[in-house]
Structures are given as structure tokens and as C-alpha cells.
Amino acid sequence: MSPAAARVALSVVVTTRERSGGCRRLCTALEDQFAEHPGLLVEIVLVFDGCEPYGWVPSAGRYRPIHLPTQHGIAKGRNVGVRHARGEIVAFLDDDAVPGPGWVSSALAAFVTYPQLVAFGGRVIGSDQHNLYAQLRDQVYYRETFGSWYVDPGVGGDFLGPPYVNGGNSAYRRQAIVDVGGFDEALPAYSDVELGRRLQLHRHAALLAGMTISHDHPSTFGQYMRRCYRSGRARGVLWARRRYPQDAPRRVVTTIAANVLWNNVTHRARRIAAGWIRATIVLSCQEVLHGIGYTRSLVSTR
């Protein structure tokens, strides 16, 4: 690691709720990577969102446990973490993920390699590649958002100019987050997407080949549909409060109709090894739930 990178303080913010085992798995992986940088000032800011701190968490050293007595959600948890973070670089990981080898090194090096950029992320790969819903997350959502780079680890190099970086695998210059007011706590989902829009990350961010995590994607129909519904709710809130053109009713309705009537059948479901017919059905349900969530948000915010 370069001398410039060695002087950078890093705060890793993890918002957690009643997932002690997953959180410990994540923190152990981080500790192992921190050991590779003995001269680095690092800390793990653990925000307990409406649950009691886990018994294994130290109250000193590298750990900064923050207890929120009631549940507020991931956006609030991250904002609280940013306020308590002491590092000029603030990274975010979720407690259902594990950073790949070299994650810390890649994140730190990026701030030196790309001094003009404010945020970095990387691939989020489902931990169970045989699960239908994990495949849908990777091969439909991530592929269509970031392109084939995101789902093909064989493609080397960094990817410049994504629309946003995934909130569960990201690192920011702390001041950039502070300057725009942090994550939007009114959103039930998409808070990382919306932050990316305000920070104009299509011009000021990069996805890094070495900053990959393994993530426990939704693994059941119910979990997957709840995520789709929350995404629809979030887009409705975004349109009602901020009027982003991507979330306008005509754009949303047109996209849903095109997916149900054509795209799901012709190519989206065919990327899924778990079965074309089943994938088509789930994708159609996904669009319907997304539309219902979107409509309910618009109605409730009038």
C-alpha cells in the first residue's frame, strides 16, 4: 500500500438488526483484512437498529457500537454511522455479506488512484448461485443496471461511471455524503440509488474489480416479492417528493407493460438456469408488485 493510502482513516459502517451470526462473520473477515494494513487507522461502526448490541462486540478498540432503541431502517442507520464515523473514508457493508479477499486494499487504493472521484463500489454476487431468486437479482437487476461487467467476474478492470454504487458494498469520501445531506430516510428502499443521483455518480464514481462481496440475496418467493414491493413504494416516493424523470408514472407504467408483455419472455427469463417458465412467472409477479407499491405511494403522498 502506498504511503498516501497509509495515512487515510477508514470507517466501515454496518447497520445490523438481530443477525448476530452474519454480523460476526462479516466483522471477522474485515479484521483479517485490517491485519494486512497494520499502519492503518480503522474502525467498525456497528449501528444496532432497534436491537440490543451483540454480546461478542467489544466496546473499545476498533469497534464503535451505536445503539438505536427503536428500529429506523437502513438509511437512518447509515446516516447515524456517518455522523459517528471518524474516517475521511466511510465504507458501507451489510451484515448478510462477506467481503472478498482484497476488498479493503482495493477500496483504499481507489481513493489514491482516482482522486477526482467521490465513491466506489464493486460486484455483489449472490452466495447461492443455484437459487432462482439470487439468479434473478444478479442476471436481471444487476445486469440491466450495470451491464455484463457486473455479472461476469472474468471481465477485468474497473468500470467507470455507474449510476450509483450499491449501498451494501460501497465506500465514499465522507465529506461528499455530508455535503448533500446523507441518505434519504423517507425511502423504504433505493436510498443508495437516490444518493447516487444527488452525487451525480454517473460522473463521479467507479466500480472496482477487486471490491467484490458475497451477499445473501433473497432466497424465497416472499422475500423477493417484499423487496420488489418496497422498490415500487420507493419509486413512488421519489416521484412525489423529488420528481426524478426516471420515476415518472408514464415511464414506470411503460416499463412494467413492456416487461410483462415482451421482455420477460423473450430474454430476461432465458438468462436464468433455474428454469425459464418459473422465472417468467416470478418476473411477472415482480412487475405487478412493483406497480402496486408504486401506485400506493403515489396515492398516499397526494
Side-chain angles (χ1 to χ4, degrees):
M1 185 174 61
S2 71
R7 294 193 296 270
V8 175
L10 170 68
S11 298
V12 181
V13 175
V14 180
T15 300
T16 185
R17 176 176 169 79
E18 296 177 351
R19 195 179 277 145
S20 177
C23 189
R24 190 167 195 171
R25 178 185 64 178
L26 165 64
C27 290
T28 298
L30 283 175
E31 288 278 4
D32 289 343
Q33 294 192 30
F34 290 160
E36 301 170 4
H37 306 278
L40 179 69
L41 174 61
V42 295
E43 63 181 1
I44 301 175
V45 182
L46 278 178
V47 181
F48 294 91
D49 186 23
C51 68
E52 292 299 316
Y54 309 139
W56 56 266
V57 177
S59 58
R62 284 178 168 158
Y63 288 83
R64 300 197 70 200
I66 310 297
H67 180 222
L68 301 181
T70 58
Q71 184 179 7
H72 292 277
I74 193 71
K76 173 75 171 183
R78 288 173 180 161
N79 283 338
V80 170
V82 171
R83 288 198 293 271
H84 285 83
R86 293 173 291 190
E88 68 176 87
I89 295 174
V90 177
F92 299 95
L93 286 168
D94 289 343
D95 63 2
D96 54 359
V98 178
W103 186 91
V104 170
S105 296
S106 296
L108 289 172
F111 286 91
V112 178
T113 304
Y114 302 104
Q116 76 281 15
L117 302 182
V118 301
F120 302 94
R123 295 181 176 95
V124 178
I125 306 299
S127 55
D128 182 1
Q129 288 297 300
H130 299 289
N131 182 272
L132 167 65
Y133 307 102
Q135 290 181 33
L136 288 170
R137 188 74 177 161
D138 287 340
Q139 295 296 330
V140 176
Y141 180 75
Y142 288 141
R143 178 185 287 274
E144 293 178 358
T145 302
F146 300 112
S148 59
W149 179 96
Y150 207 84
V151 293
D152 186 357
V155 178
D158 300 337
F159 178 63
L160 301 179
Y164 71 98
V165 293
N166 187 299
N169 181 24
S170 57
Y172 296 78
R173 299 188 192 275
R174 181 180 182 277
Q175 194 58 46
I177 300 178
V178 172
D179 288 345
V180 298
F183 294 91
D184 188 338
E185 297 175 11
L187 295 175
Y190 272 34
S191 60
D192 48 354
V193 177
E194 195 280 328
L195 179 66
R197 293 175 183 175
R198 276 184 283 138
L199 286 172
Q200 299 184 13
L201 294 191
H202 62 286
R203 292 188 294 149
H204 302 300
L207 300 176
L208 309 177
M211 199 172 161
T212 297
I213 67 170
S214 172
H215 181 261
D216 296 338
H217 289 342
S219 59
T220 67
F221 181 80
Q223 291 173 345
Y224 190 81
M225 288 301 123
R226 283 192 291 273
R227 178 183 285 272
C228 297
Y229 177 77
R230 287 197 303 270
S231 296
R233 294 275 296 179
R235 293 188 71 189
V237 173
L238 284 173
W239 174 247
R241 296 178 67 242
R242 297 186 182 271
R243 285 299 193 267
Y244 289 120
Q246 303 97 310
D247 307 305
R250 179 175 293 182
R251 178 81 66 87
V252 172
V253 170
T254 299
T255 300
I256 290 174
N259 286 339
V260 172
L261 297 176
W262 182 254
N263 295 331
N264 289 347
V265 177
T266 58
H267 60 276
R268 294 175 108 201
R270 297 183 185 278
R271 302 179 192 139
I272 309 303
W276 172 71
I277 295 177
R278 187 180 172 205
T280 301
I281 294 171
V282 174
L283 284 168
S284 296
C285 292
Q286 164 186 316
E287 298 299 324
V288 171
L289 263 292
H290 190 88
I292 291 173
Y294 179 82
T295 302
R296 287 186 174 176
S297 279
L298 291 186
V299 171
S300 64
T301 52
R302 282 182 179 176

